[in-house]
Amino acid sequence: MLEIVVKLALVAAAFAFLPLLVGQAEHKVMAHMQGRLGPMYAGAFHGWAQLVADGVKFAQKEDVVPRDADRWVFKLAPGVALVPYLLVLLVIPVGPDGQVALDLGPGVFFALAVMGVGVIGAIMAGWASANKYSLLGGMRVAAQLMSYELPMVFAASSVAMAAGTLSLTGIVDEWRWWWLPWQAVGGVVFFVAGLAELRRPPFDMPVADSEIIFGPYTEYGGLRFALFILSEYAGIVVLCALTTVLFLGGWKGPFLDTELGWLWTLLKVFALAFCVIWLRVSYPRMREDQLQKLAWAWLVPLSLAQLALTGVLKVAL
Amino acid sequence: MHNYFDTYVVVVVLLLVGAGIVAGGLGANRALRPNRPTAEKLTTYECGVDPVGEGWAHSYVRYYVFAYLYVVFAVDAVFLFPWATIFSEPGYGATTLGEMFVFLGFLATGLAYAAKKGVLSWV
């Protein structure tokens, strides 16, 4: 009982801390890639407290719900967008021998299903705002979810086939270094599809500011807006953690897997988060038709090919 | 069966914790924020001009076809998960592998058909 309470507290703490760390990293990494300094003032040392200051500011801002909006759905949407990512963190193992809050049998399935729920928050926001731009943005979110969920599911089930289990701990237990080349295509498909599902650049068509203001979030302000932004960073943490566990061997590192497992996991997660930020800085936004084409003409066939490769090799070995 | 539900009690507890975090934040916000609504502040934002008509406007959702495609494929894809855990057990081997190629063949044919019909290119 005590053990599970401590684990839940750790999950909640990770959920409160890691997204902020990624957010701050984004401020600084983006700034330096663009030849700027980024936040330098808050907290004195390289602006480390910028997001804390932002949080304090957001907590004091007025909560505006537009007159025409569907009030309840509008107010509920940020919560629906944020909480699912907390739930996914529950099943992600950080180390061997039970260093996981809950070793769920159908872990992969649970993680993918719950991650999809987070997107519904954005669709709710788009619909409930009673704003034409928000509605268009919400539709784009929905279209993106539908196109990219499929390759993501295929890529994840390829790993499940290779490991012969759906438990995330079980998958890392089975993982060997040669899975890296074997599952490479699946890994790339999974990561790219995940980015699209999180609406991260270059897949940020739903919030394209030059066309539809800020898409589903146009009418939001204050703390509810902050919750949406937080859910984006929580989503990055969850996506990177899932990619780490499924494709990069989770806690397995070059040495001391048992003692330093959690460190390898964290390192891999942050390396991937760095790539997410890097992609934002280096790629222009894709047009809606290019987005759909990438999913159906490239990612789905590639993930099907990965399934075939996994199946043949697994039976042949 | 008892253990099965115990597992998901933890999920429900964490769900409540999450709801508590969001509610706590919004509660703090309620205590700290000003509240001065004006008619202008509550209008819908449409690039600074007065909104025309209502927000739930008619629009042509060009990508509804993708929704159909998704439903067709996703329903198939769900069955991959239980199958994935046992397909290489002793005694299955080549048969299940053959079945997998039948399954992939169906999906690939569907996708090729959709592509040939032109639904994958922008209208």
Side-chain angles (χ1 to χ4, degrees):
Chain A
M1 186 65 197
L2 181 68
E3 192 195 348
I4 195 69
V5 170
V6 170
K7 280 179 172 176
L8 282 180
L10 282 175
V11 168
F15 178 68
F17 183 60
L18 293 180
L20 291 186
L21 208 56
V22 173
Q24 182 68 18
E26 181 167 69
H27 272 321
K28 296 306 276 188
V29 171
M30 258 181 88
H32 285 286
M33 283 180 175
Q34 296 170 336
R36 302 182 282 119
L37 286 175
M40 288 298 284
Y41 185 76
F45 181 74
H46 288 268
W48 67 271
Q50 181 60 43
L51 290 178
V52 180
D54 279 347
V56 172
K57 181 194 73 176
F58 276 126
Q60 302 174 62
K61 288 184 90 171
E62 187 173 354
D63 184 38
V64 180
V65 181
R67 197 188 318 107
D68 295 332
D70 188 337
R71 291 187 73 85
W72 276 103
V73 182
F74 185 87
K75 289 182 148 186
L76 204 58
V80 176
L82 183 63
V83 174
Y85 295 123
L86 171 67
L87 290 186
V88 181
L89 285 184
L90 187 65
V91 295
I92 290 173
V94 288
D97 309 322
Q99 289 178 40
V100 52
L102 179 66
D103 185 14
L104 205 59
V108 181
F109 195 73
F110 176 87
L112 288 178
V114 174
M115 227 180 132
V117 175
V119 183
I120 292 177
I123 301 174
M124 282 167 70
W127 177 257
S129 297
N131 179 323
K132 299 179 191 76
Y133 299 96
S134 299
L135 185 59
L136 283 175
M139 289 299 177
R140 287 180 180 182
V141 174
Q144 212 154 303
L145 169 68
M146 283 184 302
S147 294
Y148 285 90
E149 185 74 11
L150 196 62
M152 207 170 167
V153 166
F154 283 147
S157 53
S158 155
V159 179
M161 280 163 68
T165 171
L166 291 178
S167 150
L168 290 171
T169 312
I171 286 173
V172 184
D173 271 331
E174 293 290 319
W175 192 87
R176 298 288 175 273
W177 68 266
W178 48 269
W179 286 30
L180 276 178
W182 185 26
Q183 301 293 338
V185 174
V188 172
V189 168
F190 185 86
F191 192 61
V192 171
L195 282 182
E197 212 176 298
L198 296 176
R199 287 148 276 132
R200 284 291 298 180
F203 306 104
D204 57 344
M205 200 63 193
V207 293
D209 54 326
S210 51
E211 300 174 19
I212 50 173
I213 314 176
F214 204 42
Y217 316 134
T218 302
E219 295 290 352
Y220 282 88
L223 194 63
R224 283 176 215 279
F225 177 76
L227 290 179
F228 272 122
I229 300 300
L230 184 62
S231 73
E232 182 176 333
Y233 292 110
I236 294 175
V237 172
V238 164
L239 172 69
C240 295
L242 274 180
T243 312
T244 300
V245 168
L246 292 176
F247 295 97
L248 301 181
W251 65 74
K252 293 194 174 164
F255 50 85
L256 290 177
D257 288 353
T258 325
E259 293 82 2
L260 291 178
W262 59 272
L263 185 64
W264 299 130
T265 307
L266 275 182
L267 275 180
K268 289 171 188 174
V269 168
F270 279 110
L272 284 172
F274 178 80
C275 292
V276 172
I277 299 166
W278 194 2
L279 286 171
R280 171 172 179 178
V281 183
S282 30
Y283 278 97
R285 180 182 297 139
M286 293 175 85
R287 224 167 45 215
E288 189 64 31
D289 60 323
Q290 294 170 330
L291 268 175
Q292 301 292 347
K293 192 163 175 116
L294 177 70
W296 292 100
W298 289 100
L299 296 188
V300 171
L302 277 177
S303 56
L304 289 177
Q306 174 70 67
L307 280 181
L309 176 69
T310 309
V312 170
L313 260 185
K314 177 81 178 171
V315 171
L317 293 174
Chain B
M1 217 48 197
H2 186 64
N3 268 326
Y4 179 82
F5 286 114
D6 279 358
T7 317
Y8 285 94
V9 166
V10 180
V11 177
V12 173
V13 169
L14 192 68
L15 182 65
L16 293 177
V17 170
I21 293 174
V22 172
L26 291 175
N29 183 220
R30 180 179 285 264
L32 292 170
R33 75 188 174 209
N35 184 25
R36 287 185 274 280
T38 62
E40 287 78 20
K41 204 186 274 177
L42 296 182
T43 37
T44 307
Y45 178 73
E46 286 188 7
C47 305
V49 295
D50 287 342
V52 181
E54 65 163 348
W56 289 292
H58 286 278
S59 57
Y60 176 35
V61 185
R62 284 164 189 272
Y63 23 79
Y64 73 98
V65 192
F66 295 112
Y68 287 142
L69 273 180
Y70 173 68
V71 170
V72 173
F73 286 159
V75 171
D76 293 342
V78 168
F79 294 111
L80 267 178
F81 282 103
W83 172 82
T85 56
I86 53 136
F87 85 106
S88 63
E89 302 277 300
Y92 287 99
T95 323
T96 38
L97 194 63
E99 284 169 1
M100 185 195 71
F101 276 104
V102 172
F103 172 79
L104 291 183
F106 269 111
L107 289 186
T109 314
L111 197 60
Y113 179 72
K116 186 149 188 302
K117 277 289 208 179
V119 294
L120 297 185
S121 52
W122 198 245
V123 194

